[in-house]
Amino acid sequence: MAIRPILIAGDPRLSTPASPVTEFDAELASFIDDLFETNTAAHGAGLAANQVGDPRAVFVYDLVDHGVHHRGHIVNPVLETSELPETMPDPDDDLEGCLSVPGEWFPTGRADWAKVTGVDMHGAPVTVEGTGYLARCLQHETDHLAGRLYLTRLIGRNHRAARRMIRDRDWTRPGNSWLPDGSGRRPR
């Protein structure tokens, strides 16, 4: 297993839709282990393959929601959600962050319920369904695999603040990344 560098907003690999996985082999299993190890070292809730520069449609999640631990992976995910909110997200309850936007949090509107279907590393069917933080994570990670950062979902003043932050941090060019060291510190 290995901790991999995490790409930062501005890298075109983060805005490129993932390719379906067709090879279910030991290399895929090893890669999924690397995603888990990288996510753990970064203190993340989830990590998509394209966040470490891999084009395959796979993500891992590892989080606690309402006292319940959820951990797993999904290959070739398909997302279904309840209706998305049309109002401004709550600045306290709807904060969202991303390992590819290190150190930043913005209120982001998400559906209250989400279900993802796909397969596991062996090709066996998998379904994960949830509300709350788990639903947010499932939507966030499938967005990554569609080539969308959560910043694209921001509206109003949050959208403007994110654009300024990207410019001020010079995250407008490819190749920026960070390597989690397990401390939980993220680059600023």
Side-chain angles (χ1 to χ4, degrees):
M1 292 193 302
I3 296 173
R4 296 182 180 226
I6 298 172
L7 300 178
I8 294 176
D11 193 294
R13 291 171 286 182
L14 292 171
S15 59
T16 303
S19 301
V21 174
T22 58
E23 298 284 327
F24 296 86
D25 55 13
E27 192 280 327
L28 176 63
S30 177
F31 174 66
I32 290 170
D33 286 342
D34 288 355
L35 286 177
F36 274 118
E37 186 169 355
T38 303
N39 185 62
T40 298
H43 299 277
L47 185 65
N50 58 344
Q51 289 183 270
V52 297
D54 190 291
R56 291 177 283 188
V58 59
F59 72 81
V60 299
Y61 59 94
D62 190 353
L63 59 99
V64 175
D65 185 27
H66 295 95
V68 177
H69 185 217
H70 301 276
R71 185 176 196 273
H73 69 278
I74 304 204
V75 179
N76 300 333
V78 176
L79 176 68
E80 179 183 343
T81 68
S82 58
E83 190 172 324
L84 290 170
E86 294 183 17
T87 59
M88 273 301 271
D90 185 290
D92 296 320
D93 294 334
D94 293 327
L95 280 180
E96 192 165 318
C98 179
L99 296 176
S100 290
V101 186
E104 298 295 333
W105 297 82
F106 291 99
T108 309
R110 295 286 188 182
D112 293 330
W113 170 86
K115 177 171 84 171
V116 174
T117 55
V119 296
D120 68 11
M121 68 178 75
H122 307 291
V126 173
T127 299
V128 180
E129 180 177 354
T131 59
Y133 190 36
L134 177 59
R136 180 174 294 276
C137 179
L138 295 173
Q139 292 167 81
H140 182 104
E141 299 309 326
T142 55
D143 268 359
H144 272 299
L145 297 178
R148 284 191 302 267
L149 285 176
Y150 85 106
L151 300 177
T152 64
R153 293 204 177 270
L154 302 179
I155 57 175
R157 66 182 170 275
N158 300 317
H159 176 73
R160 290 187 297 278
R163 285 186 28 214
R164 272 192 308 278
M165 178 273 303
I166 294 274
R167 182 193 65 233
D168 292 349
R169 290 190 181 210
D170 195 25
W171 287 352
T172 57
R173 57 188 162 78
N176 288 332
S177 67
W178 69 285
L179 186 64
D181 64 4
S183 70
R185 290 186 314 250
R186 297 183 185 168
R188 286 202 62 56

